[in-house]
């Protein structure tokens, strides 16, 4: 059977070379050709012996995901839609900034968590991406952008696992993909520049801390369990106090000394000064849930089926002020790629709702503003 070499981290590639009767350093050479140079044809890999190239041609290939579309925003953001088969598609977004280039990568076709404010969540879960499908988003984008921009050096400096899907519910494929991102023979990104974003899969946060402690973002969105249960259904399994304890355990391994909490600002739902005060209490004052953190407030990107609205700017700023004045570093995320639906939570891809989650979410009561 032909093996796609994008599926391997360096260890996996070494084991594969071993099976072909080749030395380990051949794996390193191959790995560099694929990831550093973007090669897809074995005949282009000029320093590999002809005999090895012939063996590879029979047993392996290097094949990325087919592209369905590419959209370029007026602000330079680029969104690609990739075909993952069976009528499913996933999205990848490149966000250029003055001092960095960030790639936002998908980990699943759809998502089983079903957050109310997330368009991916409304589609239900279709399937996990493979390691090759995760890494091929970076492999394609990096080499496409180099060619496009006429650069020979690295264009993507940061990766965020904030596209479609819950990365920690696809851990076995995620882990080798992270290792490829960090490997000096591949993309060589530092652990601080690779961020896994999670809705709070507590046991997998512990695994990640031990296996591959990259920067961690936790999607919090509410200061108390009643509201979070409603917005992020996974909270019923891993409530806030357990999540905070997991954050503190993660910090023992993390490359940064803080967790980034993402907080999607929903009009009249989680955005009042009382919610901000409750957050300060949660992460600063309560001994059980205190955690070293920063907040990233995300203006909600609306989509019709959510029935939710974006908080007005003044309320977002007031919320940020309350957190900042309590000494919590708080940023408000700039919305990028609005004109091409590339902003957070707008990544819809095209996933069939096989789990009927859409119907389940729309049956739930709309979240009401409640005093905290
Ligand atoms: N499943 C992971 C990572 C993907 S979602 C997670 O939930 O963290 C990436 C970020 O986008 C999360 O913080 C999520 O809460 C946020 N998000 C989802 N839908 C959004 C929307 N409609 N508007 C703004 N942010 C949204
Ligand atoms: Fe899944 Fe994240 Fe969307 Fe929630 S916000 S449904 S966890 S992708």
């Amino acid at each position: 059977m032909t093996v796609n070499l994008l599926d391997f981290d360096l260890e996996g590639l070494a084991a594969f070379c071993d099976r072909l009767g080749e030395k380990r350093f051949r794996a390193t050479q191959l790995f560099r050709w694929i990831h550093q140079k973007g090669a897809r044809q074995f005949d282009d890999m000029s320093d590999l012996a002809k005999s090895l190239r012939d063996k590879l041609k029979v047993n392996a290939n290097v094949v990325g995901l087919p592209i369905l579309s590419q959209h370029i925003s007026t602000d330079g953001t680029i969104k690609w839609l990739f075909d993952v088969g069976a009528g499913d598609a996933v999205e990848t977004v490149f966000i250029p900034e003055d001092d960095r280039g960030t790639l936002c990568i998908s980990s699943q076709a759809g998502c089983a968590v079903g957050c109310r404010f997330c368009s991916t969540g409304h589609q239900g879960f279709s399937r996990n991406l493979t390691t090759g499908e995760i890494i091929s988003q970076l492999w394609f984008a990096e080499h496409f952008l180099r060619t496009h921009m006429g650069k020979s050096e690295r264009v993507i400096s940061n990766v965020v696992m904030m596209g479609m899907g819950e990365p920690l519910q696809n851990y076995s494929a995620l882990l080798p993909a992270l290792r490829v991102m960090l490997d000096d023979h591949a993309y060589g990104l530092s652990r601080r520049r690779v961020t896994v974003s999670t809705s709070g899969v507590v046991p997998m946060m512990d695994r990640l801390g031990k296996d591959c402690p990259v920067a961690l973002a936790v999607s919090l969105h509410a200061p108390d369990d009643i509201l979070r249960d409603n917005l992020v259904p996974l909270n019923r399994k891993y409530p806030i106090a357990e999540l905070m304890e997991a954050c503190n355990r993660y910090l023992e391994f993390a490359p940064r000394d803080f967790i980034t909490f993402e907080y999607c600002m929903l009009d009249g739902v989680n955005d009042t000064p009382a919610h901000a005060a409750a957050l300060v209490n949660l992460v600063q004052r309560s001994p059980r849930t205190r955690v070293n953190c920063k907040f990233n407030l995300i203006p909600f990107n609306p989509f019709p089926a959510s029935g939710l609205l974006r908080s007005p700017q003044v309320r977002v700023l007031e919320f940020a002020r309350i957190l900042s004045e309590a000494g919590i570093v708080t940023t408000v995320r700039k919305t990028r790629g609005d004109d091409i639906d590339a902003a957070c939570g707008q990544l819809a891809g095209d996933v069939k709702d096989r789990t009927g989650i859409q119907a389940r979410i729309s049956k739930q009561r709309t979240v009401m503003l409640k005093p905290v």
Side-chain angles (χ1 to χ4, degrees):
M1 210 184 80
T2 316
V3 174
N4 189 350
L5 300 188
L6 290 174
D7 268 314
F8 292 135
D9 60 10
L10 187 52
E11 268 316 303
L13 200 55
F16 175 72
C17 285
D18 201 39
R19 288 199 294 279
L20 292 182
E22 296 286 337
K23 297 246 159 51
R24 193 194 161 90
F25 80 94
R26 293 291 178 203
T28 310
Q29 279 179 311
L30 250 175
F31 205 55
R32 295 172 71 112
W33 272 110
I34 297 167
H35 295 291
Q36 291 188 341
K37 302 205 179 93
R40 16 183 119 207
Q41 304 298 339
F42 296 120
D43 278 336
D44 294 341
M45 305 181 180
S46 48
D47 58 358
L48 298 187
K50 169 110 181 22
S51 58
L52 171 56
R53 281 189 263 145
D54 289 343
K55 247 191 258 179
L56 288 169
K57 277 192 252 173
V58 176
N59 295 291
N61 57 21
V62 182
V63 182
L65 288 168
I67 303 171
L68 291 172
S69 65
Q70 168 178 293
H71 294 277
I72 304 184
S73 158
T74 47
D75 66 17
T77 302
I78 307 179
K79 180 176 83 168
W80 293 281
L81 185 67
F82 292 103
D83 185 0
V84 295
D88 292 330
V90 297
E91 291 179 324
T92 307
V93 180
F94 174 66
I95 306 142
E97 284 171 284
D98 292 344
D99 58 340
R100 71 180 87 175
T102 304
L103 193 70
C104 178
I105 291 184
S106 293
S107 56
Q108 299 180 312
C111 181
V113 178
C115 300
R116 294 189 65 86
F117 49 83
C118 171
S119 121
T120 309
H122 276 247
Q123 295 174 333
F125 175 67
S126 196
R127 72 169 175 87
N128 279 327
L129 299 189
T130 62
T131 296
E133 289 168 336
I134 296 172
I135 211 64
S136 78
Q137 299 171 60
L138 174 59
W139 175 76
F140 166 79
E142 174 65 33
H143 298 291
F144 169 87
L145 291 165
R146 277 192 210 172
T147 311
H148 189 68
M149 296 172 160
K151 289 203 174 170
S152 55
E153 306 241 306
R154 182 156 81 187
V155 177
I156 294 164
S157 60
N158 296 62
V159 167
V160 293
M161 296 302 305
M162 292 186 188
M164 298 167 69
E166 169 48 58
L168 294 187
Q169 287 188 339
N170 184 14
Y171 191 75
S172 60
L174 175 74
L175 187 60
L178 293 177
R179 291 195 168 129
V180 178
M181 293 172 198
L182 303 183
D183 200 305
D184 282 338
H185 297 294
Y187 301 92
L189 298 174
S190 80
R191 291 195 287 128
R192 306 161 67 93
R193 289 175 174 270
V194 174
T195 302
V196 166
S197 175
T198 181
S199 53
V201 190
V202 163
M204 292 300 141
M205 289 165 63
D206 287 326
R207 293 268 303 270
L208 187 68
K210 295 200 176 85
D211 294 339
C212 191
V214 293
L216 188 68
V218 171
S219 296
L220 191 57
H221 308 308
D224 65 85
D225 284 325
I226 294 171
L227 185 55
R228 196 165 188 272
D229 279 354
N230 202 321
L231 295 174
V232 184
L234 192 67
N235 195 68
R236 293 176 205 145
K237 196 159 181 197
Y238 306 114
I240 291 179
E242 282 181 33
L243 181 58
M244 297 297 143
E245 284 170 2
C247 287
N248 279 319
R249 290 194 296 275
Y250 195 87
L251 283 174
E252 290 170 30
F253 306 97
R256 299 175 185 270
D257 59 1
F258 59 89
I259 300 286
T260 303
F261 286 127
E262 291 163 284
Y263 198 96
C264 182
M265 299 292 292
L266 303 164
D267 185 20
V269 173
N270 65 354
D271 64 346
T272 66
H275 290 107
L279 282 177
V280 172
N281 208 33
L282 178 79
V283 302
Q284 242 180 19
R285 311 226 166 97
S286 307
R288 194 171 163 214
T289 58
R290 204 159 42 202
V291 54
N292 226 356
C293 63
K294 291 188 180 177
F295 268 81
N296 194 359
L297 307 181
I298 316 173
F300 171 57
N301 292 305
F303 58 98
S306 70
L308 298 162
L309 297 171
R310 178 183 286 190
S311 305
Q313 172 86 347
V314 281
R315 212 173 306 140
V316 177
L317 294 178
E318 172 63 5
F319 202 92
R321 191 189 59 79
I322 296 171
L323 295 180
S324 302
E325 276 182 7
I328 303 169
V329 176
T330 304
T331 49
V332 178
R333 186 174 297 168
K334 266 193 292 173
T335 306
R336 299 285 306 263
D338 247 352
D339 52 340
I340 56 166
D341 280 356
C344 266
Q346 287 183 329
L347 303 186
D350 187 11
V351 177
K352 294 192 197 106
D353 186 7
R354 297 203 174 89
T355 48
I357 207 163
Q358 219 155 354
R360 280 209 303 282
I361 292 178
S362 56
K363 258 190 251 148
Q364 275 176 34
R365 237 173 354 104
T366 312
V367 192
M368 299 307 286
L369 176 62
K370 59 176 222 41
V372 284

